Amino acid sequence: MKTFISIALIILAIPLYAQDDDLPEESNPTVRERIQAARVAYITDQLALTPTEAEKFWPIYREFTDKRKALLKELRYARRHPDPSKSADQNEKDLVTLGLEVKQKEVDLERHYSGQLLDVIPAQKLRMLPEVERKFRLLILKQIQERRRGREKN
């Protein structure tokens, strides 16, 4: 029953976007909220979080994802706005360096927040988290593709 509710939420909640992290800033806040609610329901269900675990897990996880999102935003900005005073080759080298720095910061973030999450949920659930996140994204992408196919037929 929980799985059915989670999937129903996802199907109803995702009209256009694949992942909250990928949403443009100007997107509809209602859509963002619906995606976030679907993500919470799906991850909570798939990890089988107890109410006590969920209460402690979600604030830590949100903080982690917000910080990870900020890192990725920094990299996207650098890709879209090369330094005009530098050569194209130097900008590319700088992007490679920044990309590696961002990856290292992501690993550091994950290490830090994994420690906090291990105080809240068992290691088995934490180990499952990346796979559950990946499955959620794939489910969302599938919904987007189905909606686009439906629009093309009309």
Side-chain angles (χ1 to χ4, degrees), residues 1-144:
M1 185 64 173
K2 278 184 175 179
T3 303
F4 174 77
I5 291 170
S6 296
I7 292 173
L9 273 171
I10 291 167
I11 290 170
L12 294 172
I14 313 305
L16 192 56
Y17 299 103
Q19 182 181 12
D20 189 42
D21 297 349
D22 297 334
L23 292 176
E25 292 300 320
E26 65 275 4
S27 69
N28 185 337
T30 304
V31 172
R32 282 182 174 278
E33 290 168 14
R34 290 169 47 192
I35 290 170
Q36 186 60 26
R39 175 179 282 136
V40 168
Y42 185 82
I43 291 174
T44 299
D45 179 58
Q46 293 298 302
L47 293 181
L49 297 177
T50 66
T52 303
E53 288 172 339
E55 181 181 342
K56 294 176 182 175
F57 170 85
W58 284 106
I60 297 168
Y61 182 74
R62 282 189 191 105
E63 185 177 316
F64 165 69
T65 56
D66 288 347
K67 288 184 179 183
R68 181 174 59 185
K69 195 185 318 182
L71 284 174
L72 298 175
K73 187 176 181 179
E74 176 186 346
L75 184 58
R76 276 193 307 270
Y77 182 85
R79 284 183 180 147
R80 292 180 184 149
H81 301 92
D83 186 341
S85 67
K86 295 182 180 179
S87 69
D89 188 51
Q90 187 57 50
N91 276 319
E92 291 299 320
K93 287 178 183 176
D94 290 350
L95 278 176
V96 169
T97 301
L98 181 61
L100 293 171
E101 289 170 3
V102 166
K103 283 181 186 180
Q104 183 60 54
K105 288 177 183 177
E106 269 190 291
V107 169
D108 294 344
L109 266 180
E110 192 170 337
R111 181 174 285 123
H112 174 76
Y113 283 96
S114 290
Q116 289 185 21
L117 289 170
L118 280 171
D119 292 339
V120 174
I121 62 174
Q124 179 186 10
K125 290 181 181 183
L126 182 58
R127 189 181 51 76
M128 291 171 49
L129 182 58
E131 180 65 17
V132 170
E133 290 172 323
R134 187 186 70 75
K135 286 180 180 178
F136 178 79
R137 283 190 298 274
L138 291 174
L139 195 58
I140 301 303
L141 289 172
K142 183 178 177 184
Q143 284 295 315
I144 291 169

